[in-house]
PDB file of all heavy atoms in Angstrom:
ATOM      1  N   LYS A  35      28.854  10.608  -7.084  1.00  0.00           N
ATOM      2  CA  LYS A  35      28.964   9.478  -7.994  1.00  0.00           C
ATOM      3  C   LYS A  35      27.623   9.227  -8.665  1.00  0.00           C
ATOM      4  O   LYS A  35      27.562   8.994  -9.866  1.00  0.00           O
ATOM      5  CB  LYS A  35      29.412   8.233  -7.209  1.00  0.00           C
ATOM      6  CG  LYS A  35      29.540   6.988  -8.051  1.00  0.00           C
ATOM      7  CD  LYS A  35      30.179   5.851  -7.277  1.00  0.00           C
ATOM      8  CE  LYS A  35      29.280   5.385  -6.172  1.00  0.00           C
ATOM      9  NZ  LYS A  35      29.760   4.194  -5.496  1.00  0.00           N
ATOM     10  N   LEU A  61      29.044  -6.741 -16.081  1.00  0.00           N
ATOM     11  CA  LEU A  61      29.661  -6.794 -14.756  1.00  0.00           C
ATOM     12  C   LEU A  61      29.605  -8.210 -14.186  1.00  0.00           C
ATOM     13  O   LEU A  61      30.577  -8.670 -13.571  1.00  0.00           O
ATOM     14  CB  LEU A  61      28.975  -5.803 -13.811  1.00  0.00           C
ATOM     15  CG  LEU A  61      29.200  -4.328 -14.136  1.00  0.00           C
ATOM     16  CD1 LEU A  61      28.327  -3.439 -13.261  1.00  0.00           C
ATOM     17  CD2 LEU A  61      30.668  -3.951 -13.982  1.00  0.00           C
ATOM     18  N   LYS A  62      28.507  -8.912 -14.392  1.00  0.00           N
ATOM     19  CA  LYS A  62      28.402 -10.298 -13.924  1.00  0.00           C
ATOM     20  C   LYS A  62      29.428 -11.182 -14.626  1.00  0.00           C
ATOM     21  O   LYS A  62      30.039 -12.053 -13.994  1.00  0.00           O
ATOM     22  CB  LYS A  62      26.993 -10.842 -14.160  1.00  0.00           C
ATOM     23  CG  LYS A  62      25.943 -10.241 -13.246  1.00  0.00           C
ATOM     24  CD  LYS A  62      24.577 -10.825 -13.597  1.00  0.00           C
ATOM     25  CE  LYS A  62      23.454 -10.104 -12.942  1.00  0.00           C
ATOM     26  NZ  LYS A  62      22.130 -10.647 -13.348  1.00  0.00           N
ATOM     27  N   ALA A  64      32.317 -10.185 -15.845  1.00  0.00           N
ATOM     28  CA  ALA A  64      33.622  -9.817 -15.282  1.00  0.00           C
ATOM     29  C   ALA A  64      33.813 -10.475 -13.917  1.00  0.00           C
ATOM     30  O   ALA A  64      34.908 -10.949 -13.590  1.00  0.00           O
ATOM     31  CB  ALA A  64      33.748  -8.303 -15.175  1.00  0.00           C
ATOM     32  N   LEU A  65      32.738 -10.530 -13.112  1.00  0.00           N
ATOM     33  CA  LEU A  65      32.831 -11.158 -11.789  1.00  0.00           C
ATOM     34  C   LEU A  65      33.020 -12.664 -11.892  1.00  0.00           C
ATOM     35  O   LEU A  65      33.653 -13.274 -11.026  1.00  0.00           O
ATOM     36  CB  LEU A  65      31.595 -10.843 -10.947  1.00  0.00           C
ATOM     37  CG  LEU A  65      31.559  -9.454 -10.336  1.00  0.00           C
ATOM     38  CD1 LEU A  65      30.248  -9.219  -9.600  1.00  0.00           C
ATOM     39  CD2 LEU A  65      32.739  -9.244  -9.396  1.00  0.00           C
ATOM     40  N   ALA A  66      32.475 -13.279 -12.933  1.00  0.00           N
ATOM     41  CA  ALA A  66      32.666 -14.716 -13.126  1.00  0.00           C
ATOM     42  C   ALA A  66      34.148 -15.026 -13.322  1.00  0.00           C
ATOM     43  O   ALA A  66      34.645 -16.061 -12.885  1.00  0.00           O
ATOM     44  CB  ALA A  66      31.846 -15.203 -14.317  1.00  0.00           C
ATOM     45  N   ASN A  68      36.644 -12.911 -12.216  1.00  0.00           N
ATOM     46  CA  ASN A  68      37.359 -12.448 -11.022  1.00  0.00           C
ATOM     47  C   ASN A  68      36.324 -12.077  -9.957  1.00  0.00           C
ATOM     48  O   ASN A  68      35.935 -10.916  -9.841  1.00  0.00           O
ATOM     49  CB  ASN A  68      38.253 -11.253 -11.358  1.00  0.00           C
ATOM     50  CG  ASN A  68      39.074 -10.803 -10.163  1.00  0.00           C
ATOM     51  OD1 ASN A  68      39.004 -11.388  -9.089  1.00  0.00           O
ATOM     52  ND2 ASN A  68      39.856  -9.756 -10.354  1.00  0.00           N
ATOM     53  N   PRO A  69      35.860 -13.066  -9.180  1.00  0.00           N
ATOM     54  CA  PRO A  69      34.773 -12.823  -8.227  1.00  0.00           C
ATOM     55  C   PRO A  69      35.103 -11.860  -7.092  1.00  0.00           C
ATOM     56  O   PRO A  69      34.204 -11.415  -6.395  1.00  0.00           O
ATOM     57  CB  PRO A  69      34.454 -14.218  -7.671  1.00  0.00           C
ATOM     58  CG  PRO A  69      35.463 -15.144  -8.211  1.00  0.00           C
ATOM     59  CD  PRO A  69      36.289 -14.443  -9.220  1.00  0.00           C
ATOM     60  N   ASN A  70      36.371 -11.537  -6.919  1.00  0.00           N
ATOM     61  CA  ASN A  70      36.753 -10.627  -5.839  1.00  0.00           C
ATOM     62  C   ASN A  70      37.209  -9.263  -6.344  1.00  0.00           C
ATOM     63  O   ASN A  70      37.924  -8.551  -5.642  1.00  0.00           O
ATOM     64  CB  ASN A  70      37.853 -11.272  -4.981  1.00  0.00           C
ATOM     65  CG  ASN A  70      37.326 -12.459  -4.217  1.00  0.00           C
ATOM     66  OD1 ASN A  70      36.207 -12.443  -3.717  1.00  0.00           O
ATOM     67  ND2 ASN A  70      38.117 -13.512  -4.151  1.00  0.00           N
ATOM     68  N   ASP A  71      36.776  -8.895  -7.533  1.00  0.00           N
ATOM     69  CA  ASP A  71      37.130  -7.582  -8.087  1.00  0.00           C
ATOM     70  C   ASP A  71      36.259  -6.532  -7.410  1.00  0.00           C
ATOM     71  O   ASP A  71      35.064  -6.390  -7.707  1.00  0.00           O
ATOM     72  CB  ASP A  71      36.928  -7.570  -9.602  1.00  0.00           C
ATOM     73  CG  ASP A  71      37.332  -6.246 -10.242  1.00  0.00           C
ATOM     74  OD1 ASP A  71      37.408  -5.215  -9.536  1.00  0.00           O
ATOM     75  OD2 ASP A  71      37.561  -6.248 -11.454  1.00  0.00           O
ATOM     76  N   PHE A  72      36.879  -5.794  -6.510  1.00  0.00           N
ATOM     77  CA  PHE A  72      36.139  -4.831  -5.694  1.00  0.00           C
ATOM     78  C   PHE A  72      35.397  -3.793  -6.521  1.00  0.00           C
ATOM     79  O   PHE A  72      34.221  -3.523  -6.280  1.00  0.00           O
ATOM     80  CB  PHE A  72      37.076  -4.137  -4.702  1.00  0.00           C
ATOM     81  CG  PHE A  72      36.408  -3.030  -3.960  1.00  0.00           C
ATOM     82  CD1 PHE A  72      35.517  -3.318  -2.935  1.00  0.00           C
ATOM     83  CD2 PHE A  72      36.620  -1.710  -4.297  1.00  0.00           C
ATOM     84  CE1 PHE A  72      34.862  -2.301  -2.265  1.00  0.00           C
ATOM     85  CE2 PHE A  72      35.982  -0.694  -3.639  1.00  0.00           C
ATOM     86  CZ  PHE A  72      35.104  -0.987  -2.614  1.00  0.00           C
ATOM     87  N   SER A  73      36.058  -3.190  -7.492  1.00  0.00           N
ATOM     88  CA  SER A  73      35.406  -2.123  -8.257  1.00  0.00           C
ATOM     89  C   SER A  73      34.215  -2.663  -9.055  1.00  0.00           C
ATOM     90  O   SER A  73      33.192  -1.978  -9.180  1.00  0.00           O
ATOM     91  CB  SER A  73      36.399  -1.399  -9.163  1.00  0.00           C
ATOM     92  OG  SER A  73      36.938  -2.279 -10.120  1.00  0.00           O
ATOM     93  N   THR A  74      34.321  -3.879  -9.544  1.00  0.00           N
ATOM     94  CA  THR A  74      33.199  -4.477 -10.278  1.00  0.00           C
ATOM     95  C   THR A  74      32.047  -4.786  -9.328  1.00  0.00           C
ATOM     96  O   THR A  74      30.888  -4.541  -9.648  1.00  0.00           O
ATOM     97  CB  THR A  74      33.651  -5.749 -11.030  1.00  0.00           C
ATOM     98  OG1 THR A  74      34.731  -5.405 -11.907  1.00  0.00           O
ATOM     99  CG2 THR A  74      32.520  -6.340 -11.843  1.00  0.00           C
ATOM    100  N   LEU A  75      32.370  -5.315  -8.162  1.00  0.00           N
ATOM    101  CA  LEU A  75      31.329  -5.585  -7.160  1.00  0.00           C
ATOM    102  C   LEU A  75      30.605  -4.300  -6.769  1.00  0.00           C
ATOM    103  O   LEU A  75      29.371  -4.258  -6.711  1.00  0.00           O
ATOM    104  CB  LEU A  75      31.943  -6.235  -5.919  1.00  0.00           C
ATOM    105  CG  LEU A  75      32.348  -7.689  -6.048  1.00  0.00           C
ATOM    106  CD1 LEU A  75      33.270  -8.092  -4.902  1.00  0.00           C
ATOM    107  CD2 LEU A  75      31.102  -8.580  -6.074  1.00  0.00           C
ATOM    108  N   SER A  76      31.372  -3.254  -6.514  1.00  0.00           N
ATOM    109  CA  SER A  76      30.778  -1.978  -6.118  1.00  0.00           C
ATOM    110  C   SER A  76      29.887  -1.417  -7.230  1.00  0.00           C
ATOM    111  O   SER A  76      28.765  -0.951  -6.972  1.00  0.00           O
ATOM    112  CB  SER A  76      31.894  -0.994  -5.765  1.00  0.00           C
ATOM    113  OG  SER A  76      31.354   0.230  -5.349  1.00  0.00           O
ATOM    114  N   ALA A  77      30.373  -1.479  -8.465  1.00  0.00           N
ATOM    115  CA  ALA A  77      29.583  -0.963  -9.594  1.00  0.00           C
ATOM    116  C   ALA A  77      28.305  -1.774  -9.793  1.00  0.00           C
ATOM    117  O   ALA A  77      27.237  -1.209 -10.054  1.00  0.00           O
ATOM    118  CB  ALA A  77      30.422  -0.984 -10.871  1.00  0.00           C
ATOM    119  N   LEU A  78      28.394  -3.088  -9.647  1.00  0.00           N
ATOM    120  CA  LEU A  78      27.200  -3.930  -9.799  1.00  0.00           C
ATOM    121  C   LEU A  78      26.206  -3.651  -8.673  1.00  0.00           C
ATOM    122  O   LEU A  78      25.000  -3.552  -8.919  1.00  0.00           O
ATOM    123  CB  LEU A  78      27.580  -5.410  -9.834  1.00  0.00           C
ATOM    124  CG  LEU A  78      26.431  -6.392 -10.054  1.00  0.00           C
ATOM    125  CD1 LEU A  78      25.711  -6.114 -11.385  1.00  0.00           C
ATOM    126  CD2 LEU A  78      26.954  -7.831 -10.029  1.00  0.00           C
ATOM    127  N   GLY A  79      26.704  -3.477  -7.459  1.00  0.00           N
ATOM    128  CA  GLY A  79      25.827  -3.121  -6.343  1.00  0.00           C
ATOM    129  C   GLY A  79      25.078  -1.824  -6.623  1.00  0.00           C
ATOM    130  O   GLY A  79      23.875  -1.723  -6.381  1.00  0.00           O
ATOM    131  N   ASP A  80      25.794  -0.835  -7.169  1.00  0.00           N
ATOM    132  CA  ASP A  80      25.164   0.444  -7.508  1.00  0.00           C
ATOM    133  C   ASP A  80      24.078   0.259  -8.567  1.00  0.00           C
ATOM    134  O   ASP A  80      23.002   0.867  -8.478  1.00  0.00           O
ATOM    135  CB  ASP A  80      26.209   1.438  -8.013  1.00  0.00           C
ATOM    136  CG  ASP A  80      27.170   1.900  -6.931  1.00  0.00           C
ATOM    137  OD1 ASP A  80      26.899   1.695  -5.733  1.00  0.00           O
ATOM    138  OD2 ASP A  80      28.226   2.484  -7.295  1.00  0.00           O
ATOM    139  N   MET A  81      24.349  -0.586  -9.552  1.00  0.00           N
ATOM    140  CA  MET A  81      23.348  -0.806 -10.617  1.00  0.00           C
ATOM    141  C   MET A  81      22.112  -1.505 -10.054  1.00  0.00           C
ATOM    142  O   MET A  81      20.982  -1.155 -10.404  1.00  0.00           O
ATOM    143  CB  MET A  81      23.961  -1.617 -11.758  1.00  0.00           C
ATOM    144  CG  MET A  81      24.985  -0.815 -12.557  1.00  0.00           C
ATOM    145  SD  MET A  81      25.502  -1.664 -14.037  1.00  0.00           S
ATOM    146  CE  MET A  81      24.271  -1.021 -15.177  1.00  0.00           C
ATOM    147  N   TYR A  82      22.332  -2.504  -9.202  1.00  0.00           N
ATOM    148  CA  TYR A  82      21.192  -3.179  -8.572  1.00  0.00           C
ATOM    149  C   TYR A  82      20.374  -2.175  -7.754  1.00  0.00           C
ATOM    150  O   TYR A  82      19.144  -2.171  -7.807  1.00  0.00           O
ATOM    151  CB  TYR A  82      21.659  -4.304  -7.651  1.00  0.00           C
ATOM    152  CG  TYR A  82      22.048  -5.585  -8.337  1.00  0.00           C
ATOM    153  CD1 TYR A  82      23.178  -6.289  -7.924  1.00  0.00           C
ATOM    154  CD2 TYR A  82      21.293  -6.136  -9.374  1.00  0.00           C
ATOM    155  CE1 TYR A  82      23.539  -7.493  -8.527  1.00  0.00           C
ATOM    156  CE2 TYR A  82      21.646  -7.324  -9.984  1.00  0.00           C
ATOM    157  CZ  TYR A  82      22.769  -7.995  -9.547  1.00  0.00           C
ATOM    158  OH  TYR A  82      23.118  -9.183 -10.135  1.00  0.00           O
ATOM    159  N   PHE A  83      21.066  -1.332  -6.991  1.00  0.00           N
ATOM    160  CA  PHE A  83      20.360  -0.362  -6.157  1.00  0.00           C
ATOM    161  C   PHE A  83      19.524   0.581  -7.017  1.00  0.00           C
ATOM    162  O   PHE A  83      18.359   0.814  -6.729  1.00  0.00           O
ATOM    163  CB  PHE A  83      21.354   0.437  -5.295  1.00  0.00           C
ATOM    164  CG  PHE A  83      20.666   1.320  -4.297  1.00  0.00           C
ATOM    165  CD1 PHE A  83      20.322   0.834  -3.052  1.00  0.00           C
ATOM    166  CD2 PHE A  83      20.330   2.623  -4.604  1.00  0.00           C
ATOM    167  CE1 PHE A  83      19.662   1.636  -2.129  1.00  0.00           C
ATOM    168  CE2 PHE A  83      19.678   3.439  -3.699  1.00  0.00           C
ATOM    169  CZ  PHE A  83      19.343   2.932  -2.453  1.00  0.00           C
ATOM    170  N   ASP A  90      19.577  -7.906  -4.130  1.00  0.00           N
ATOM    171  CA  ASP A  90      20.799  -8.114  -4.910  1.00  0.00           C
ATOM    172  C   ASP A  90      21.841  -7.045  -4.579  1.00  0.00           C
ATOM    173  O   ASP A  90      23.037  -7.342  -4.490  1.00  0.00           O
ATOM    174  CB  ASP A  90      20.492  -8.105  -6.410  1.00  0.00           C
ATOM    175  CG  ASP A  90      19.701  -9.324  -6.849  1.00  0.00           C
ATOM    176  OD1 ASP A  90      19.873 -10.407  -6.250  1.00  0.00           O
ATOM    177  OD2 ASP A  90      18.900  -9.187  -7.796  1.00  0.00           O
ATOM    178  N   ALA A  91      21.396  -5.813  -4.400  1.00  0.00           N
ATOM    179  CA  ALA A  91      22.323  -4.732  -4.041  1.00  0.00           C
ATOM    180  C   ALA A  91      22.972  -5.036  -2.698  1.00  0.00           C
ATOM    181  O   ALA A  91      24.204  -4.968  -2.563  1.00  0.00           O
ATOM    182  CB  ALA A  91      21.593  -3.390  -3.995  1.00  0.00           C
ATOM    183  N   PHE A  92      22.160  -5.396  -1.709  1.00  0.00           N
ATOM    184  CA  PHE A  92      22.692  -5.727  -0.383  1.00  0.00           C
ATOM    185  C   PHE A  92      23.723  -6.850  -0.478  1.00  0.00           C
ATOM    186  O   PHE A  92      24.828  -6.738   0.061  1.00  0.00           O
ATOM    187  CB  PHE A  92      21.561  -6.139   0.569  1.00  0.00           C
ATOM    188  CG  PHE A  92      22.071  -6.815   1.806  1.00  0.00           C
ATOM    189  CD1 PHE A  92      22.616  -6.074   2.841  1.00  0.00           C
ATOM    190  CD2 PHE A  92      22.039  -8.204   1.923  1.00  0.00           C
ATOM    191  CE1 PHE A  92      23.115  -6.701   3.970  1.00  0.00           C
ATOM    192  CE2 PHE A  92      22.528  -8.833   3.043  1.00  0.00           C
ATOM    193  CZ  PHE A  92      23.074  -8.080   4.080  1.00  0.00           C
ATOM    194  N   ASN A  93      23.375  -7.936  -1.151  1.00  0.00           N
ATOM    195  CA  ASN A  93      24.289  -9.072  -1.262  1.00  0.00           C
ATOM    196  C   ASN A  93      25.589  -8.687  -1.959  1.00  0.00           C
ATOM    197  O   ASN A  93      26.678  -9.125  -1.565  1.00  0.00           O
ATOM    198  CB  ASN A  93      23.620 -10.234  -2.003  1.00  0.00           C
ATOM    199  CG  ASN A  93      22.537 -10.892  -1.166  1.00  0.00           C
ATOM    200  OD1 ASN A  93      22.608 -10.919   0.058  1.00  0.00           O
ATOM    201  ND2 ASN A  93      21.520 -11.404  -1.825  1.00  0.00           N
ATOM    202  N   THR A  94      25.485  -7.846  -2.969  1.00  0.00           N
ATOM    203  CA  THR A  94      26.685  -7.431  -3.711  1.00  0.00           C
ATOM    204  C   THR A  94      27.543  -6.488  -2.876  1.00  0.00           C
ATOM    205  O   THR A  94      28.773  -6.626  -2.842  1.00  0.00           O
ATOM    206  CB  THR A  94      26.280  -6.790  -5.053  1.00  0.00           C
ATOM    207  OG1 THR A  94      25.430  -7.705  -5.767  1.00  0.00           O
ATOM    208  CG2 THR A  94      27.496  -6.489  -5.903  1.00  0.00           C
ATOM    209  N   TYR A  95      26.921  -5.543  -2.177  1.00  0.00           N
ATOM    210  CA  TYR A  95      27.696  -4.661  -1.292  1.00  0.00           C
ATOM    211  C   TYR A  95      28.354  -5.477  -0.170  1.00  0.00           C
ATOM    212  O   TYR A  95      29.489  -5.206   0.222  1.00  0.00           O
ATOM    213  CB  TYR A  95      26.825  -3.560  -0.690  1.00  0.00           C
ATOM    214  CG  TYR A  95      26.367  -2.520  -1.676  1.00  0.00           C
ATOM    215  CD1 TYR A  95      25.032  -2.134  -1.735  1.00  0.00           C
ATOM    216  CD2 TYR A  95      27.260  -1.909  -2.553  1.00  0.00           C
ATOM    217  CE1 TYR A  95      24.601  -1.168  -2.630  1.00  0.00           C
ATOM    218  CE2 TYR A  95      26.844  -0.947  -3.452  1.00  0.00           C
ATOM    219  CZ  TYR A  95      25.503  -0.576  -3.488  1.00  0.00           C
ATOM    220  OH  TYR A  95      25.086   0.382  -4.376  1.00  0.00           O
ATOM    221  N   ASP A  96      27.624  -6.481   0.330  1.00  0.00           N
ATOM    222  CA  ASP A  96      28.187  -7.326   1.384  1.00  0.00           C
ATOM    223  C   ASP A  96      29.444  -8.042   0.879  1.00  0.00           C
ATOM    224  O   ASP A  96      30.447  -8.135   1.594  1.00  0.00           O
ATOM    225  CB  ASP A  96      27.126  -8.334   1.843  1.00  0.00           C
ATOM    226  CG  ASP A  96      27.050  -8.466   3.339  1.00  0.00           C
ATOM    227  OD1 ASP A  96      27.353  -7.490   4.059  1.00  0.00           O
ATOM    228  OD2 ASP A  96      26.689  -9.566   3.800  1.00  0.00           O
ATOM    229  N   LYS A  97      29.386  -8.536  -0.346  1.00  0.00           N
ATOM    230  CA  LYS A  97      30.544  -9.199  -0.949  1.00  0.00           C
ATOM    231  C   LYS A  97      31.679  -8.189  -1.138  1.00  0.00           C
ATOM    232  O   LYS A  97      32.852  -8.488  -0.854  1.00  0.00           O
ATOM    233  CB  LYS A  97      30.150  -9.832  -2.286  1.00  0.00           C
ATOM    234  CG  LYS A  97      31.286 -10.449  -3.053  1.00  0.00           C
ATOM    235  CD  LYS A  97      31.853 -11.682  -2.382  1.00  0.00           C
ATOM    236  CE  LYS A  97      32.896 -12.314  -3.303  1.00  0.00           C
ATOM    237  NZ  LYS A  97      33.662 -13.349  -2.661  1.00  0.00           N
ATOM    238  N   ALA A  98      31.363  -6.984  -1.592  1.00  0.00           N
ATOM    239  CA  ALA A  98      32.376  -5.942  -1.767  1.00  0.00           C
ATOM    240  C   ALA A  98      33.040  -5.619  -0.427  1.00  0.00           C
ATOM    241  O   ALA A  98      34.260  -5.439  -0.351  1.00  0.00           O
ATOM    242  CB  ALA A  98      31.765  -4.688  -2.386  1.00  0.00           C
ATOM    243  N   ILE A  99      32.259  -5.583   0.632  1.00  0.00           N
ATOM    244  CA  ILE A  99      32.790  -5.309   1.969  1.00  0.00           C
ATOM    245  C   ILE A  99      33.700  -6.441   2.422  1.00  0.00           C
ATOM    246  O   ILE A  99      34.719  -6.209   3.079  1.00  0.00           O
ATOM    247  CB  ILE A  99      31.636  -5.060   2.966  1.00  0.00           C
ATOM    248  CG1 ILE A  99      30.986  -3.696   2.672  1.00  0.00           C
ATOM    249  CG2 ILE A  99      32.126  -5.138   4.410  1.00  0.00           C
ATOM    250  CD1 ILE A  99      29.658  -3.474   3.361  1.00  0.00           C
ATOM    251  N   SER A 100      33.366  -7.673   2.049  1.00  0.00           N
ATOM    252  CA  SER A 100      34.244  -8.790   2.425  1.00  0.00           C
ATOM    253  C   SER A 100      35.602  -8.671   1.726  1.00  0.00           C
ATOM    254  O   SER A 100      36.614  -9.107   2.253  1.00  0.00           O
ATOM    255  CB  SER A 100      33.578 -10.135   2.127  1.00  0.00           C
ATOM    256  OG  SER A 100      33.568 -10.407   0.743  1.00  0.00           O
ATOM    257  N   VAL A 101      35.617  -8.071   0.545  1.00  0.00           N
ATOM    258  CA  VAL A 101      36.863  -7.851  -0.193  1.00  0.00           C
ATOM    259  C   VAL A 101      37.595  -6.626   0.356  1.00  0.00           C
ATOM    260  O   VAL A 101      38.815  -6.629   0.505  1.00  0.00           O
ATOM    261  CB  VAL A 101      36.582  -7.687  -1.709  1.00  0.00           C
ATOM    262  CG1 VAL A 101      37.839  -7.290  -2.469  1.00  0.00           C
ATOM    263  CG2 VAL A 101      35.984  -8.971  -2.282  1.00  0.00           C
ATOM    264  N   ASN A 102      36.854  -5.564   0.661  1.00  0.00           N
ATOM    265  CA  ASN A 102      37.437  -4.322   1.166  1.00  0.00           C
ATOM    266  C   ASN A 102      36.632  -3.852   2.375  1.00  0.00           C
ATOM    267  O   ASN A 102      35.716  -3.034   2.243  1.00  0.00           O
ATOM    268  CB  ASN A 102      37.448  -3.240   0.082  1.00  0.00           C
ATOM    269  CG  ASN A 102      38.052  -1.938   0.562  1.00  0.00           C
ATOM    270  OD1 ASN A 102      38.511  -1.825   1.695  1.00  0.00           O
ATOM    271  ND2 ASN A 102      38.046  -0.940  -0.302  1.00  0.00           N
ATOM    272  N   CYS A 105      35.690   0.066   3.246  1.00  0.00           N
ATOM    273  CA  CYS A 105      34.988   0.919   2.286  1.00  0.00           C
ATOM    274  C   CYS A 105      33.753   1.544   2.942  1.00  0.00           C
ATOM    275  O   CYS A 105      32.694   0.908   3.035  1.00  0.00           O
ATOM    276  CB  CYS A 105      34.586   0.116   1.047  1.00  0.00           C
ATOM    277  SG  CYS A 105      33.694   1.119  -0.161  1.00  0.00           S
ATOM    278  N   ASP A 107      31.872   3.873   1.784  1.00  0.00           N
ATOM    279  CA  ASP A 107      30.800   4.035   0.797  1.00  0.00           C
ATOM    280  C   ASP A 107      29.968   2.754   0.673  1.00  0.00           C
ATOM    281  O   ASP A 107      28.743   2.818   0.593  1.00  0.00           O
ATOM    282  CB  ASP A 107      31.392   4.428  -0.560  1.00  0.00           C
ATOM    283  CG  ASP A 107      30.319   4.711  -1.592  1.00  0.00           C
ATOM    284  OD1 ASP A 107      29.449   5.582  -1.336  1.00  0.00           O
ATOM    285  OD2 ASP A 107      30.327   4.056  -2.649  1.00  0.00           O
ATOM    286  N   CYS A 108      30.633   1.601   0.688  1.00  0.00           N
ATOM    287  CA  CYS A 108      29.894   0.334   0.587  1.00  0.00           C
ATOM    288  C   CYS A 108      29.006   0.111   1.813  1.00  0.00           C
ATOM    289  O   CYS A 108      27.881  -0.372   1.692  1.00  0.00           O
ATOM    290  CB  CYS A 108      30.852  -0.841   0.408  1.00  0.00           C
ATOM    291  SG  CYS A 108      31.615  -0.889  -1.229  1.00  0.00           S
ATOM    292  N   ASP A 111      26.012   2.412   1.307  1.00  0.00           N
ATOM    293  CA  ASP A 111      25.084   1.899   0.303  1.00  0.00           C
ATOM    294  C   ASP A 111      24.397   0.621   0.781  1.00  0.00           C
ATOM    295  O   ASP A 111      23.215   0.396   0.516  1.00  0.00           O
ATOM    296  CB  ASP A 111      25.820   1.657  -1.015  1.00  0.00           C
ATOM    297  CG  ASP A 111      26.354   2.956  -1.620  1.00  0.00           C
ATOM    298  OD1 ASP A 111      25.921   4.052  -1.194  1.00  0.00           O
ATOM    299  OD2 ASP A 111      27.219   2.868  -2.519  1.00  0.00           O
TER     300      ASP A 111
END
Side-chain angles (χ1 to χ4, degrees):
K35 179 171 67 173
L61 292 172
K62 289 178 191 177
L65 283 176
N68 184 1
N70 292 321
D71 182 340
F72 173 75
S73 63
T74 303
L75 286 165
S76 181
L78 183 59
D80 291 345
M81 289 189 90
Y82 281 138
F83 187 88
D90 290 328
F92 165 78
N93 289 330
T94 306
Y95 290 132
D96 225 29
K97 175 68 174 170
I99 288 167
S100 74
V101 173
N102 180 2
C105 179
D107 184 56
C108 288
D111 296 345

